[in-house]
Amino acid sequence: MQIRQLLEEIEILETACDMDMEVRGIAYDSRHVSPGDVFVAVRGYQSDGHRYIGAAMEQGASLCVCEEKPGCAIPYVLVRDTRRALALMSCAFFSHPSRGMKMIGITGTNGKTTTTYLVKHILEAQGAKVGLIGTNRNMIGGEVLETERTTPESYELQKLFDRMKRAGCTHVVMEVSSHSLVLQRVAGVRFDVGVFTNLTQDHLDFHKTMEAYCDAKAMLFDVSTVGVLNADDAAAGRLQAHTKEALTYSAKDNANDLVAKNILLKPHGVEFIAVAEEGIARVSLAIPGAFSVYNALAALACAKALGVTLERAAAALATAQGVRGRAELVPVPAPFTVVIDYAHSPDGVENILSAVRAGARGRIVALLGCGGDRDRTKRPKMGAIAQKMADFTIITSDNPRTEKPEEIIREIVAGLDPSGKPYTVVTDRREAIVYALEHARTDDIIVLMGKGHETYQEINGVKHHLDEREEVARFFASRHPVKAAPEE
């Protein structure tokens, strides 16, 4: 493909190359350059691609796209924003694959993953072939592809779209993180439907303020034909200003397009009546917690925006299953319950503990850590919420990354009340899980929060295998049949 064709939709500041030059591929990591590639020098938070233009040239790059003139003799194109350029070039390189499929983007602090799965399930029940892109996995129909980040970098994203289109996908439903919007990973993609779940504190290490975090989410609705919004969230009004056509849902206010009435929260799911202008439908979803009502409403409203009737969408939800790492029940040979959940924000902790409380007959035991190199201000808040809502709290490590686990734990503990409900600190997460299981009582619900679907723990920049399901199984395999600890 000619470089001219790749750069067709990009503002060019200066050229020092033959615009009819043929390029074989696109690379933004100098280590992955092949002869004949165009190298895009992207500025990152830990490294600057402009420093590696020479290395890319040695690997065989035929030219570079950059924001400043290269310090070596290589043909180049100067642009204002190489991140955006990479995204738009990738769209062109793969012949704009997203334009041939219905695109659904879901954003919000919590609920994105479950909602994407619910939308996928509804659409597949109507006969569609659906691609899914999300935090814990990517999927092409029933084929599972593992992933490492919520929204892939723009080149990999367009490559994935191309693969989905070639496989016959008619729809793509994807999580769209605030990072991906700010970092231009989805630039060039037009969404048929954009969905907003909620906005609570998270990622302030990146966005700095809640206003900036909200504005990042709003970018999705600037490029969506229809915006599906959770009207019960305070941020909905700010986001609605960015929508061309809004479809709202609520569990509180009858003035919205889709409303949940007669809500029943049960130990193993939720039931409610969905009310819309076109009629009503009984909804049953086998995922517990009040947040499941909102996830179901988001999925139903999204389906409505795509032309699926409320009755047919509700019927599909009745057969939907839970998502790995989201309120996931772990089978154990003991008279207590173990739940794994991805809760990693104050709102997430509150949601899962509220959900399990609804069906609790014994104690709620919360195991909690916080990620390193992330928003530090949420740590004491998460600790305080866990102590308030659980009967016993175990403070431990999550992904400390480059921070010392003890320092992260100290900041969590700062939010706890010394005279409040009991807690303990077990720094090693594996040991903390063992502690929770060893001290469990009959009818307890042990909630392992923070890791969810993840099967690793990142310590000092290295990912070590850690699957909490395996840790629970190993505990029981190494012991005789367990009898729950007696009441004190």
Side-chain angles (χ1 to χ4, degrees):
M1 181 175 283
Q2 292 178 337
I3 188 64
R4 183 188 306 280
Q5 295 171 299
L6 285 181
L7 298 172
E8 202 167 41
E9 297 183 10
I10 300 166
E11 180 186 0
I12 298 172
L13 302 180
E14 181 181 323
T15 62
C17 70
D18 176 5
M19 292 297 286
D20 293 324
M21 178 187 298
E22 292 282 341
V23 294
R24 298 185 61 182
I26 301 171
Y28 59 92
D29 185 329
S30 61
R31 296 167 296 184
H32 300 156
V33 170
S34 297
D37 282 355
V38 53
F39 175 67
V40 185
V42 174
R43 297 189 193 278
Y45 287 88
Q46 296 181 334
S47 62
D48 183 352
H50 291 79
R51 294 170 50 195
Y52 301 97
I53 292 174
M57 184 179 176
E58 291 176 2
Q59 289 282 100
S62 56
L63 79 156
C64 70
V65 174
C66 44
E67 295 176 13
E68 59 185 52
K69 295 181 181 180
C72 56
I74 184 173
Y76 67 88
V77 176
L78 211 61
V79 299
R80 198 176 305 280
D81 184 344
T82 50
R83 281 194 177 277
R84 184 170 181 81
L86 173 63
L88 297 180
M89 291 168 65
S90 299
C91 289
F93 186 76
F94 291 103
S95 301
H96 301 277
S98 66
R99 294 180 182 175
M101 300 176 287
K102 288 285 186 181
M103 301 298 298
I104 302 104
I106 300 177
T107 197
T109 307
N110 296 304
K112 295 188 299 296
T113 299
T114 298
T115 303
T116 57
Y117 276 82
L118 296 181
V119 171
K120 182 176 187 287
H121 185 78
I122 291 171
L123 292 174
E124 288 176 337
Q126 317 312 311
K129 184 167 184 178
V130 184
L132 180 143
I133 300 173
T135 303
N136 59 354
R137 61 178 57 173
N138 299 329
M139 299 181 72
I140 299 177
E143 180 186 0
V144 176
L145 314 171
E146 297 304 319
T147 183
E148 290 191 2
R149 53 164 58 132
T150 301
T151 312
E153 187 51 82
S154 56
Y155 178 81
E156 283 76 22
L157 181 63
Q158 294 300 324
K159 185 177 182 180
L160 184 54
F161 287 158
D162 182 61
R163 183 173 173 182
M164 289 175 170
K165 187 176 181 180
R166 292 175 185 275
C169 288
T170 56
H171 296 70
V172 174
V173 56
M174 63 180 291
E175 297 181 47
V176 184
S177 68
S178 56
H179 289 73
S180 71
L181 289 159
V182 172
L183 298 176
Q184 301 284 347
R185 290 181 194 148
V186 293
V189 179
R190 181 78 199 176
F191 291 91
D192 294 275
V193 183
V195 180
F196 167 66
T197 60
N198 52 60
L199 189 79
T200 61
Q201 183 178 339
D202 204 7
H203 306 306
L204 294 191
D205 55 305
F206 181 81
H207 297 291
K208 307 305 180 187
T209 67
M210 287 299 293
E211 291 74 18
Y213 183 28
C214 183
D215 289 342
K217 298 291 188 188
M219 294 172 69
L220 172 63
F221 301 96
D222 290 328
V223 293
S224 295
T225 301
V226 179
V228 170
L229 305 175
N230 175 4
D232 293 343
D233 191 282
R238 189 177 182 123
L239 297 179
Q240 190 159 351
H242 292 260
T243 62
K244 297 171 181 62
E245 179 185 344
L247 196 162
T248 59
Y249 62 92
S250 171
K252 300 176 181 178
D253 188 348
N254 293 339
N256 291 281
D257 298 301
L258 182 65
V259 181
K261 307 288 288 184
N262 300 337
I263 298 169
L264 292 177
L265 304 181
K266 298 185 173 182
H268 300 291
V270 298
E271 293 179 3
F272 62 90
I273 303 297
V275 181
E277 185 178 358
E278 67 186 76
I280 66 173
R282 293 185 178 277
V283 179
S284 177
L285 179 63
I287 306 174
F291 58 87
S292 290
V293 175
Y294 282 97
N295 291 342
L297 283 171
L300 291 169
C302 180
K304 177 179 171 67
L306 292 166
V308 181
T309 67
L310 180 60
E311 183 180 8
R312 296 185 69 176
L317 282 187
T319 59
Q321 302 298 312
V323 179
R324 178 180 171 88
R326 271 64 174 178
E328 177 186 351
L329 291 174
V330 181
V332 294
F336 53 81
T337 302
V338 178
V339 176
I340 292 177
D341 192 79
Y342 191 49
H344 59 282
S345 68
D347 188 58
V349 171
E350 183 172 356
N351 282 342
I352 186 59
L353 294 181
S354 294
V356 298
R357 175 63 70 188
R361 291 184 296 174
R363 298 181 309 162
I364 304 297
V365 178
L367 184 145
L368 171 76
C370 289
D373 303 330
R374 298 293 186 268
D375 180 10
R376 294 173 58 182
T377 65
K378 69 181 182 180
R379 294 171 184 174
K381 297 176 183 179
M382 290 170 64
I385 291 170
Q387 185 186 37
K388 177 183 176 181
M389 302 192 69
D391 298 292
F392 185 79
T393 304
I394 303 169
I395 307 299
T396 187
S397 297
D398 193 293
N399 289 324
R401 299 186 176 89
T402 65
E403 289 192 65
K404 292 182 178 179
E406 295 80 7
E407 288 300 307
I408 298 173
I409 289 172
R410 181 181 60 78
E411 293 184 354
I412 299 172
V413 171
L416 304 183
D417 180 357
S419 62
K421 284 185 279 189
Y423 70 89
T424 191
V425 172
V426 182
T427 303
D428 183 277
R429 194 171 182 98
R430 285 186 173 86
E431 293 177 5
I433 293 170
V434 169
Y435 181 93
L437 297 172
E438 283 183 336
H439 292 81
R441 304 174 188 170
T442 297
D443 293 332
D444 277 358
I445 301 178
I446 300 170
V447 188
L448 310 179
M449 295 183 287
K451 299 300 293 173
H453 62 280
E454 293 178 351
T455 56
Y456 64 86
Q457 186 175 34
E458 187 175 342
I459 303 171
N460 291 325
V462 178
K463 289 184 177 180
H464 303 269
H465 182 75
L466 174 61
D467 186 326
E468 295 187 327
R469 299 151 200 80
E470 294 175 3
E471 296 303 313
V472 172
R474 185 176 294 115
F475 171 86
F476 288 106
S478 65
R479 289 161 171 77
H480 295 294
V482 171
K483 294 181 180 180
E487 300 289 342
E488 294 177 354

